[in-house]
Amino acid sequence: IHEIICFLIYQKLPLKEKFLEVLRTTKQNVFVVATKNEEKRQAMTVSSVFSVSLEPMSMAVSVNQDASLHDLLTLETKFSLNLLSSDQAEIAEICSGAEEGDVRFDHPDWEMSEIPFLKNAQSNFFCKCKKIIPIYSHSLIIGEIENIKHSGITNPLIYQDGKYL
C-alpha cells in the first residue's frame, strides 16, 4: 500500500519536482573543483563530472553560471578536479557552504601550488580549460588533463538523497 500511495503522490508532482526526485535517487561521486588567478582563488563541491575523451584525455564539469568559480574559469585557465575520499565529507560541506573564497581553503588538506588541490583526495585531475559551453543556467567546462595523482584507494565520497555516504 505504501508503494501505491507514493506512486500516486509522485504522479501529481510537477515535472521539475519529478526530475529532482529522480536525480536524488542516483549516487554521485563528489568532486571539488578548484582554481586561482593572480587575485582570487575559489573551490566548489560538484557532482556533475564526467570523462569526455581519451584522445586527448579530458573531463567535463558542469558549473552554475552564477557561481563565483564560474568567472575564474576562462580558456587556458588551470584547475583541479579532486575526487573526494569517503572520509572527506567535511571538505565537501565547506566547499558547498555559503562562505566562499579564501575561507574554503582553510582546511589543512589543501596544497597551494600552481593549481590548488586536495592532497588527501582519492584522486586529482590537473586540467587546462579548453572549452566553455554555456547551456541554460550552467556551463560545461571541458578540461584537458595535464597530470593525474591517484592514491590507489577506491572508496570515494558518494552523494545521494541530500546526504554524503
Side-chain angles (χ1 to χ4, degrees):
I1 289 187
H2 174 60
E3 291 175 359
I4 293 170
I5 293 170
C6 288
F7 176 77
L8 293 173
I9 291 170
Y10 176 77
Q11 293 305 315
K12 294 182 181 192
L13 290 176
L15 187 58
K16 185 175 182 179
E17 288 183 36
K18 287 180 184 179
F19 178 70
L20 291 171
E21 179 71 22
V22 171
L23 289 180
R24 284 185 193 107
T25 68
T26 64
K27 292 182 178 181
Q28 302 290 324
N29 288 331
V30 180
F31 288 79
V32 168
V33 60
T35 192
K36 70 177 183 176
N37 64 20
E38 299 82 32
E39 305 153 11
K40 295 181 184 177
R41 58 186 177 176
Q42 190 57 263
M44 184 175 79
T45 301
V46 293
S47 59
S48 296
V49 176
F50 58 94
S51 62
V52 174
S53 170
L54 189 57
E55 293 294 331
M57 290 180 294
S58 54
M59 299 286 285
V61 58
S62 179
V63 177
N64 189 310
Q65 293 173 11
D66 291 334
S68 300
L69 178 86
H70 187 276
D71 293 339
L72 293 181
L73 293 168
T74 59
L75 290 178
E76 301 301 311
T77 299
K78 294 185 178 196
F79 64 94
S80 65
L81 282 171
N82 305 274
L83 176 58
L84 299 186
S85 297
S86 61
D87 62 352
Q88 292 183 305
E90 178 187 9
I91 294 170
E93 292 285 353
I94 291 168
C95 292
S96 63
E99 293 198 51
E100 297 184 1
D102 287 340
V103 171
R104 294 187 176 183
F105 294 92
D106 287 342
H107 197 280
D109 271 1
W110 284 105
E111 176 69 39
M112 299 307 299
S113 56
E114 178 187 3
I115 306 168
F117 71 97
L118 290 160
K119 57 188 171 195
N120 293 318
Q122 179 175 303
S123 304
N124 313 92
F125 294 99
F126 300 93
C127 305
K128 184 183 281 190
C129 182
K130 290 299 186 179
K131 289 194 185 293
I132 301 170
I133 305 166
I135 301 177
Y136 308 116
S137 61
H138 286 63
S139 291
L140 285 180
I141 309 298
I142 311 296
E144 192 171 302
I145 296 171
E146 296 187 322
N147 203 357
I148 298 171
K149 179 180 167 269
H150 180 55
S151 66
I153 297 168
T154 55
N155 189 19
L157 183 64
I158 302 295
Y159 188 76
Q160 182 183 35
D161 198 24
K163 300 181 287 266
Y164 294 110
L165 309 172

